[in-house]
């Protein structure tokens, strides 16, 4: 069984890609460093995926998921971060109806100065794109996105020549790395696995809508 720490290691050609997505990659690398130091023998295998080609259509993570069905099948949780340098404030359950129970339990172990800022979106809706967690959600696997404070990401740094190192908020990245490491630790140790029960999706007029492919 697996925990995957996920971000994308490419950048927009107009800038250095500091907040899209070097900040997410730094968060996952630092979480891995923490885990290696304090938790060298996890009960579930912890993998770090810094994907290529996200900007071109989630190419790296889509190829990895297609090439490694054993990891998709054995996934306990994928944790992805990809919307700038801000502190994590929301985690959606991606339409998995029983995932909220696990995150609710895990968050009780996260220090209050981190946990008090975070809302859980339960059951949420499955992401059909936008970042690499969607490459696993489409299989119904438990893959989650750590959504962060904007810091004008969408209007200022995202895919612009202003996406440079000086925009990084180091204290927020430290917060996110600690949160990610703790969630990975808790997910790795949980004696239960997250069920893959899916919510019924509705489109316009209440008509059934298919799970993202």
């Amino acid at each position: 069984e697996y925990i995957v720490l996920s971000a994308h290691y490419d950048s927009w050609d107009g800038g250095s890609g500091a907040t899209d997505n070097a900040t997410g990659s730094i968060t996952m690398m630092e979480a891995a460093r923490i885990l290696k130091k304090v938790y060298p023998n996890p009960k579930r295998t912890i993998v770090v995926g810094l994907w290529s080609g996200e900007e071109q259509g989630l190419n790296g993570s889509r190829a990895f998921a297609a090439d490694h069905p054993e990891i998709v099948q054995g996934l306990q949780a994928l944790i992805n971060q990809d919307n700038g340098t801000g502190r994590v404030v929301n985690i959606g359950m991606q339409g998995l109806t029983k995932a909220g129970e696990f995150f609710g339990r895990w968050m009780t172990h996260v220090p209050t100065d981190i946990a008090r800022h975070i809302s859980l979106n339960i059951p949420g809706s499955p992401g059909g794109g936008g970042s690499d967690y969607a490459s696993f959600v489409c299989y119904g696997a438990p893959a989650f996105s750590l959504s962060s404070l904007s810091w004008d990401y969408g209007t200022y740094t995202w895919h612009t020549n202003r996406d440079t190192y000086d925009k990084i908020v180091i204290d927020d990245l430290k917060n996110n790395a600690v949160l990610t490491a703790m969630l990975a630790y808790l997910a790795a140790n949980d004696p239960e696995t997250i069920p893959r029960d899916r919510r019924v999706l509705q489109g316009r007029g209440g008509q059934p809508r298919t799970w993202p492919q």
Side-chain angles (χ1 to χ4, degrees):
E1 296 179 354
Y2 299 89
I3 314 296
V4 177
L5 308 183
S6 169
H8 68 92
Y9 202 57
D10 54 6
S11 62
W12 193 251
D13 58 6
S16 59
T19 66
D20 185 23
N21 183 227
T23 46
S25 299
I26 290 167
T27 295
M28 300 309 159
M29 292 169 69
E30 176 64 4
R33 185 195 66 80
I34 294 169
L35 290 164
K36 184 176 180 181
K37 181 176 181 179
V38 303
Y39 188 46
N41 297 297
K43 293 182 179 179
R44 291 180 172 93
T45 299
I46 299 174
V47 176
V48 180
L50 304 181
W51 316 111
S52 63
E54 188 269 357
E55 303 289 2
Q56 291 73 44
L58 315 184
N59 292 345
S61 56
R62 286 173 65 190
F64 182 88
D67 290 345
H68 295 278
E70 77 285 0
I71 291 182
V72 175
Q73 183 177 358
L75 191 63
Q76 166 74 333
L78 177 141
I79 301 168
N80 185 81
Q81 199 280 330
D82 175 25
N83 71 311
T85 189
R87 181 181 68 244
V88 172
V89 292
N90 184 277
I91 307 173
M93 299 298 104
Q94 300 301 321
L96 299 180
T97 58
K98 298 183 179 178
E101 173 189 343
F102 286 75
F103 272 85
R105 185 167 66 245
W106 296 343
M107 292 300 293
T108 64
H109 298 283
V110 174
T112 302
D113 60 343
I114 297 176
R116 66 188 175 92
H117 301 289
I118 299 173
S119 298
L120 300 180
N121 185 2
I122 303 171
S125 296
S131 194
D132 293 292
Y133 65 92
S135 298
F136 299 82
V137 169
C138 65
Y139 293 98
F144 308 98
S145 177
L146 305 181
S147 297
S148 299
L149 287 172
S150 169
W151 283 96
D152 292 328
Y153 170 75
T155 57
Y156 190 70
T157 62
W158 181 62
H159 292 187
T160 75
N161 59 2
R162 296 182 293 269
D163 193 5
T164 49
Y165 175 80
D166 55 298
K167 310 307 189 302
I168 292 175
V169 182
I170 296 296
D171 286 344
D172 281 2
L173 292 192
K174 291 179 179 179
N175 173 93
N176 296 349
V178 171
L179 171 66
T180 300
M182 292 194 72
L183 289 175
Y185 169 84
L186 292 161
N189 274 288
D190 200 309
E192 300 180 47
T193 56
I194 296 178
R196 303 194 177 195
D197 303 57
R198 307 180 190 182
R199 68 176 297 180
V200 176
L201 302 179
Q202 292 185 343
R204 292 181 179 179
Q207 296 298 313
R209 182 163 56 92
T210 60
W211 198 261
Q213 298 299 310

